[in-house]
Amino acid sequence: MSKTALVTGGSRGIGAAISVALKAAGYTVAACYAGNDDAAGKFKEKTGIPVYKWDVSDYDSCVEGINTVEADLGPIDVLVNNAGITRDGMFHKMSHEQWQAVINTNLNGLFNMTRPIWEGMRERGFGRVINISSINGQKGQMGQVNYSASKAGDIGFTRALAQEGAAKGITVNAICPGYIGTEMVRAIPQEVLDKRIIPQIPVGRLGEPEEIARCVVFLASDDAGFITGSTISANGGQFFS
């Protein structure tokens, strides 16, 4: 019987690539999304991966959604916490709402998704939790105090929870992508990409969503059973930690 994987933000961008890669690797995959019904519908039609709609910033919605996925597909063995948002702005202009929205989705969302699944993983003696953080959670980024704080929190969450899960056969790891060629990044004017962003990346290009997905597939596998509490920096050499 194949293992079941749940990917938040799993129908677009990096999340979509992760969902597809896990399915190709033999997992039964569910993709959770928050709001773009049209994109989710097209993703489901193209890939055959079932999609479920809920907001990871709402704990009760997560519990209900997870229960539905497990009723449909079986216990969740692999959780990929990929969902994230930005509400950028310089700190002296940042509103409380901008701060709260990002923290609630990008950091509280990890608790909201992982806590309802954790006890089942402990009971079964197996689990993989993979958190998609960011290069900006490692180095910080002007205009993204909220985002950087949330993504740094994801790394702390990973390192602490890994220590609790290790004896129960559960690994918890983080991946920190750099600039990845998603729809959002490619919407940046080409001149800005060429003059301001790509020159900061030693390999001289944007990453591809599939490159992050391959990291996830490895961390989800039995081959990665001795790796926990780790952070993989997938940023083309832009930042080392």
Side-chain angles (χ1 to χ4, degrees):
M1 181 180 294
S2 67
K3 294 183 173 69
T4 299
L6 172 58
V7 183
T8 68
S11 62
R12 299 175 63 197
I14 292 172
I18 292 169
S19 296
V20 169
L22 285 169
K23 181 181 179 182
Y27 294 85
T28 299
V29 180
C32 156
Y33 74 102
N36 193 323
D37 295 323
D38 182 59
K42 291 177 180 177
F43 172 81
K44 179 180 180 181
E45 182 179 357
K46 179 179 179 181
T47 66
I49 295 171
V51 295
Y52 297 83
K53 184 178 182 180
W54 72 81
D55 181 356
V56 300
S57 72
D58 183 280
Y59 181 77
D60 291 337
S61 295
C62 291
V63 171
E64 181 179 352
I66 288 165
N67 287 340
T68 300
V69 171
E70 293 195 321
D72 290 347
L73 305 178
I76 294 166
D77 303 293
V78 177
L79 172 64
V80 183
N81 286 310
N82 168 74
I85 64 171
T86 57
R87 297 289 186 271
D88 295 349
M90 297 298 285
F91 188 68
H92 66 281
K93 296 181 178 180
M94 183 173 290
S95 68
H96 183 255
E97 288 74 21
Q98 286 174 298
W99 173 268
Q100 287 292 102
V102 171
I103 296 296
N104 283 339
T105 295
N106 299 2
L107 181 55
N108 292 344
L110 266 65
F111 176 89
N112 296 342
M113 287 299 303
T114 309
R115 181 64 183 85
I117 292 171
W118 190 251
E119 289 180 42
M121 288 182 170
R122 282 171 52 88
E123 290 169 3
R124 294 188 298 274
F126 179 87
R128 297 286 188 263
V129 178
I130 302 163
N131 301 315
I132 308 302
S133 179
S134 169
I135 185 176
N136 292 340
Q138 297 173 298
K139 72 177 186 61
Q141 178 62 43
M142 183 173 68
Q144 287 195 323
V145 171
N146 49 4
Y147 184 81
S148 296
S150 70
K151 292 300 186 177
D154 292 350
I155 296 172
F157 177 99
T158 297
R159 292 174 176 173
L161 191 59
Q163 296 177 55
E164 297 189 22
K168 295 293 185 180
I170 308 169
T171 66
V172 187
N173 292 289
I175 300 170
C176 289
Y179 282 97
I180 306 300
T182 60
E183 180 181 346
M184 179 177 68
V185 171
R186 294 196 184 279
I188 297 171
Q190 191 63 44
E191 182 178 1
V192 175
L193 287 173
D194 291 341
K195 292 185 177 180
R196 296 181 57 186
I197 294 176
I198 293 177
Q200 300 177 39
I201 306 171
V203 302
R205 65 173 176 85
L206 300 175
E208 295 297 334
E210 291 76 16
E211 293 178 297
I212 306 304
R214 287 194 287 272
C215 295
V216 171
V217 171
F218 171 66
L219 290 174
S221 72
D222 291 339
D223 290 340
F226 199 59
I227 301 173
T228 194
S230 294
T231 301
I232 294 179
S233 297
N235 60 41
Q238 187 178 355
F239 181 80
F240 305 119
S241 65

